[in-house]
């Protein structure tokens, strides 16, 4: 039975994600009166802090990472926080943690934002302290393993203590408003669905470009790389939302059933359909930045950029290429989906010297949140030298269309859904496993071909081979 949790146990409570995202999100929800009145939040991590120490720690994080206009009732929020130090790898301490959470009246939500190596011992500890009993639910932050096998191990360990209906795997892209809007665009409008298929769509591009480099995540990132860090989860989820059949309703089972069908229909991408890169020193926004190897302090074969061509082998998407590209230290931060339609089958303007260009739909996910549809229009004039047609954009900026609503960070939505028990925007086990299966095959191809990343200058759009990858199909990346 569903319930709204009145206890939230936060593992990794002193970590980077907690400071930048989780605490600010919870505080913002509290400010807006959206947290259950009785909700108590128990932070836990290795650091030896008491409740007051943690409240001070949290205050500092909120002052650093939260916009001033959303900090309104910070003191009240801080009062909800308590803290229990814990070494997650040993059983000692879990009972104290359980005592600190003290059961509550309705139930407990647990959120693991820790290294994946701690998932299994944490589950053991939680079980030992009775914290998996009753209706407790658990949220898991990525990475969920490094390949299919390790992901299965984690999933098995979690499944030994929690049924799937109480496991909430986070992909924070699903918490983004613009990502959810993809579903509204596709399924709340009659316009697109009839032409949303191989008959009318020539190709799709998904770009997730970042300007940041390694940041402080040396240990994690170098063992991961762009394919596993971004494509395995966020980009495949975007692809699934673009490609899925209409679910029968907006609920967890219906939506995830449709997404997993797409993920399972992904054809193995060949090594020749991929390009990997690693950035070298360059400049971003006019500022010099070091190369990946310099930031890392050693040579590495980890890719900080990947571009690839994917195919979804089903009736709707037969022969439609999907070009995916993501990288660090690219010229700008942008996440967007470009749906390139086919040209009109026959142009009535050809005899007047005018050329048509195919329509294009660009869905801006971040930082610009917009939907831009390019249409052909006649340029004004008497056409005495022939008709001139030009592509003009129909551009809807979401913030303008919805003034007066504030933009929430993805974790606000996801944490609230975890507390209230709505799994729609969380990733089901079969999805994660289908994602890994496809990624593992690409990585196996790279290993077999001894593929090492090419270099690219920080501030460029990756190795030139990425441009060639699309161009050999007559496609240009959408870079403007
Ligand atoms: C994370 C990756 O999942 O997503 C990071 O581990 C990446 O490497 C981040 O920077 C990007 O998220 P966003 O929301 O800034 O696009």
């Amino acid at each position: 039975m569903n319930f709204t949790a009145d206890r939230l146990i936060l593992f990794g409570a002193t970590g980077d994600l907690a400071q930048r995202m989780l605490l600010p999100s919870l505080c913002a929800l509290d400010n807006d009166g959206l947290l259950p009145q009785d909700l108590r939040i128990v932070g836990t991590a290795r650091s030896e802090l008491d409740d007051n120490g943690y409240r001070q720690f949290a205050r500092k994080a909120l002052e650093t990472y939260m916009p001033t206009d959303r900090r309104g009732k910070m003191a009240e929020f801080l009062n909800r926080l308590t803290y229990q130090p814990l070494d997650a790898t040993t059983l000692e301490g879990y009972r104290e943690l359980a005592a600190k959470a003290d059961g509550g009246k309705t139930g407990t939500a647990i959120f693991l934002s820790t290294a994946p190596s701690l998932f299994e011992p944490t589950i053991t500890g939680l079980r030992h302290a009775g914290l998996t009993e009753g209706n407790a639910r658990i949220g898991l932050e990525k990475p969920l393993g490094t390949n299919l096998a390790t992901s299965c191990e984690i999933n098995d360990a979690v499944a030994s203590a929690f049924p799937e209906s109480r496991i909430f795997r986070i992909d924070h892209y699903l918490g983004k408003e613009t990502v959810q809007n993809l579903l509204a665009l596709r399924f709340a409008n009659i316009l697109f669905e009839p032409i949303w298929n191989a008959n009318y769509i020539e190709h799709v591009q998904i770009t997730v470009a970042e300007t940041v480099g390694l940041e402080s995540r040396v240990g994690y990132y170098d063992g991961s790389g762009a394919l596993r860090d971004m494509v395995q989860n966020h980009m495949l989820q975007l692809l699934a939302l673009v490609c899925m059949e209409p679910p029968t309703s907006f609920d967890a089972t219906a939506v995830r059933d449709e997404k997993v069908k797409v993920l399972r229909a992904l054809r193995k991408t060949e090594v020749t359909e991929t390009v990997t890169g690693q950035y070298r020193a360059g400049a971003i926004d006019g500022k010099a930045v070091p190369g990946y190897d310099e930031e890392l302090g050693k040579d590495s074969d980890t890719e900080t950029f990947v571009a690839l061509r994917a195919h979804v082998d089903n009736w709707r998407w037969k022969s439609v290429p999907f070009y995916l590209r993501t990288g660090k230290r690219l010229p700008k931060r942008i996440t967007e989906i470009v749906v390139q339609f086919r040209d009109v089958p026959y142009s009535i303007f050809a005899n007047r010297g005018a050329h048509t260009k195919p329509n294009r739909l660009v869905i801006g996910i971040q930082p610009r949140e917009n939907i831009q549809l390019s249409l052909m229009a006649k340029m004004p004039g008497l056409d005495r030298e022939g008709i001139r047609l030009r592509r003009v954009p129909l551009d809807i900026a979401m913030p303008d269309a919805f003034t007066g609503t504030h933009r929430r960070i993805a974790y606000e939505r996801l944490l609230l859904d975890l507390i209230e028990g709505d799994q729609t925007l969380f990733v089901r086990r079969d999805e994660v496993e289908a994602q890994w299966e496809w990624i593992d095959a690409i990585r196996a191809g790279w290993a077999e071909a001894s593929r090492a990343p090419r270099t690219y200058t920080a501030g460029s759009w990756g190795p030139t081979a990425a441009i060639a990858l699309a161009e050999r199909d007559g496609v240009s990346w959408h870079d403007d």
Side-chain angles (χ1 to χ4, degrees):
M1 212 190 62
N2 207 8
F3 69 97
T4 297
D6 59 359
R7 294 290 177 268
L8 175 65
I9 305 181
L10 222 53
F11 282 79
T14 54
D16 195 53
L17 189 75
Q19 294 178 62
R20 285 172 187 269
M21 295 288 169
L22 306 180
L23 291 167
S25 298
L26 288 164
C27 183
L29 289 169
D30 203 12
N31 275 336
D32 295 342
L34 292 167
L35 289 186
Q37 217 179 353
D38 300 333
L39 182 78
R40 275 214 347 244
I41 301 166
V42 186
T44 181
R46 256 178 208 273
S47 312
E48 287 293 334
L49 295 172
D50 58 13
D51 293 350
N52 272 333
Y54 187 60
R55 286 179 187 146
Q56 277 169 30
F57 171 90
R59 175 188 292 278
K60 208 168 142 218
L62 297 175
E63 285 169 355
T64 312
Y65 296 111
M66 223 181 147
T68 347
D69 62 333
R70 297 201 71 196
R71 287 188 212 154
K73 300 181 197 150
M74 191 156 89
E76 284 164 43
F77 170 71
L78 292 173
N79 271 337
R80 291 181 186 268
L81 302 180
T82 57
Y83 183 83
Q84 181 64 41
L86 176 79
D87 172 0
T89 59
T90 62
L91 288 182
E92 290 152 38
Y94 280 91
R95 288 239 160 85
E96 280 90 334
L97 179 67
K100 195 96 191 189
D102 85 2
K105 283 203 191 76
T106 56
T108 303
I110 299 161
F111 187 103
L112 300 195
S113 159
T114 52
S117 58
L118 292 181
F119 284 178
E120 289 188 55
T122 303
I123 301 288
T124 312
L126 290 171
R127 197 192 283 112
H128 173 75
L131 280 165
T132 58
E133 283 160 22
N135 50 11
R137 59 176 78 110
I138 187 157
L140 305 169
E141 185 52 61
K142 76 171 256 265
L144 284 182
T146 51
N147 53 25
L148 180 61
T150 50
S151 155
C152 286
E153 268 170 37
I154 293 173
N155 279 326
D156 285 345
V158 181
S160 69
F162 297 89
E164 184 64 31
S165 60
R166 293 201 263 116
I167 302 173
F168 291 64
R169 292 179 197 81
I170 301 217
D171 184 315
H172 79 277
Y173 268 53
L174 295 179
K176 291 182 192 273
E177 199 67 63
T178 34
V179 173
Q180 293 157 38
N181 204 30
L182 247 173
L183 294 182
L185 182 76
R186 286 195 58 199
F187 303 126
N189 294 293
I190 190 98
L191 282 184
F192 298 111
E193 210 40 33
I195 54 168
W196 207 258
N197 57 54
N199 295 333
Y200 297 93
I201 292 179
E202 198 243 326
H203 76 264
V204 176
Q205 299 180 19
I206 304 180
T207 293
V208 182
E210 297 185 280
T211 53
V212 292
L214 188 51
E215 297 180 286
S216 54
R217 304 158 78 216
V218 182
Y220 158 72
Y221 194 86
D222 199 51
S224 171
L227 184 72
R228 291 188 283 186
D229 184 46
M230 296 297 284
V231 182
Q232 186 273 336
N233 35 64
H234 312 320
M235 297 189 80
L236 286 186
Q237 283 292 318
L238 292 178
L239 179 105
L241 294 175
V242 169
C243 294
M244 71 197 228
E245 296 300 315
T248 48
S249 66
F250 190 60
D251 78 48
T253 305
V255 170
R256 299 187 300 175
D257 280 354
E258 295 308 334
K259 278 194 295 164
V260 78
K261 282 188 214 162
V262 173
L263 297 166
R264 287 193 183 131
L266 279 167
R267 184 196 307 167
K268 176 176 181 277
T269 285
E270 301 298 335
V271 179
T272 51
E273 296 177 294
T274 69
V275 172
T276 53
Q278 192 187 86
Y279 62 83
R280 288 289 172 270
I284 310 253
D285 285 336
K287 257 182 64 189
V289 294
Y292 181 79
D293 50 350
E294 293 167 67
E295 281 182 72
L296 194 63
K298 59 173 184 180
D299 288 346
S300 158
D301 264 352
T302 299
E303 80 287 354
T304 59
F305 174 95
V306 62
L308 56 84
R309 184 173 61 186
H311 292 275
V312 177
D313 277 341
N314 65 15
W315 194 313
R316 186 190 281 257
W317 296 111
K318 175 153 174 37
S319 303
V320 177
F322 290 81
Y323 299 92
L324 272 49
R325 160 179 81 152
T326 183
K328 303 269 184 205
R329 292 284 194 226
L330 298 185
K332 57 180 176 183
R333 175 172 184 253
I334 187 165
T335 299
E336 67 174 18
I337 299 168
V338 178
V339 179
Q340 179 67 58
F341 291 96
R342 297 188 189 283
D343 205 351
V344 290
Y346 171 78
S347 170
I348 66 161
F349 303 104
N351 65 336
R352 301 287 192 102
H355 299 288
T356 57
K357 282 193 183 145
N359 300 123
R360 187 167 62 199
L361 178 69
V362 180
I363 305 163
I365 306 282
Q366 62 188 24
R368 256 201 100 196
E369 304 182 347
N370 70 324
I371 292 171
Q372 193 187 76
L373 180 62
S374 70
L375 301 170
M376 291 309 290
K378 180 178 129 17
M379 284 176 74
L382 298 177
D383 309 327
R384 298 180 68 76
E385 272 123 42
I387 291 181
R388 284 173 305 160
L389 299 174
R390 211 174 73 196
R391 199 141 70 167
V392 289
L394 196 66
D395 196 339
I396 302 161
M398 289 301 155
D400 296 347
F402 296 101
T403 46
T405 56
H406 55 239
R407 320 305 291 162
R408 294 186 181 279
I409 38 180
Y411 282 94
E412 289 182 51
R413 172 67 191 252
L414 297 176
L415 283 163
L416 194 59
D417 285 356
L418 171 69
I419 290 165
E420 293 181 347
D422 183 346
Q423 286 187 304
T424 313
L425 299 177
F426 293 83
V427 186
R428 208 166 58 188
R429 176 171 185 160
D430 50 4
E431 292 180 78
V432 180
E433 293 182 356
Q435 291 171 179
W436 274 124
E437 207 173 315
W438 187 71
I439 293 291
D440 280 1
I442 296 177
R443 296 193 66 245
W446 289 351
E448 205 176 307
S450 307
R451 167 68 77 87
R454 299 160 194 261
T455 55
Y456 61 97
T457 308
S460 72
W461 280 106
T464 45
I467 299 168
L469 173 77
E471 268 180 0
R472 67 182 188 222
D473 296 343
V475 169
S476 307
W477 292 102
H478 182 247
D479 283 343
D480 47 40

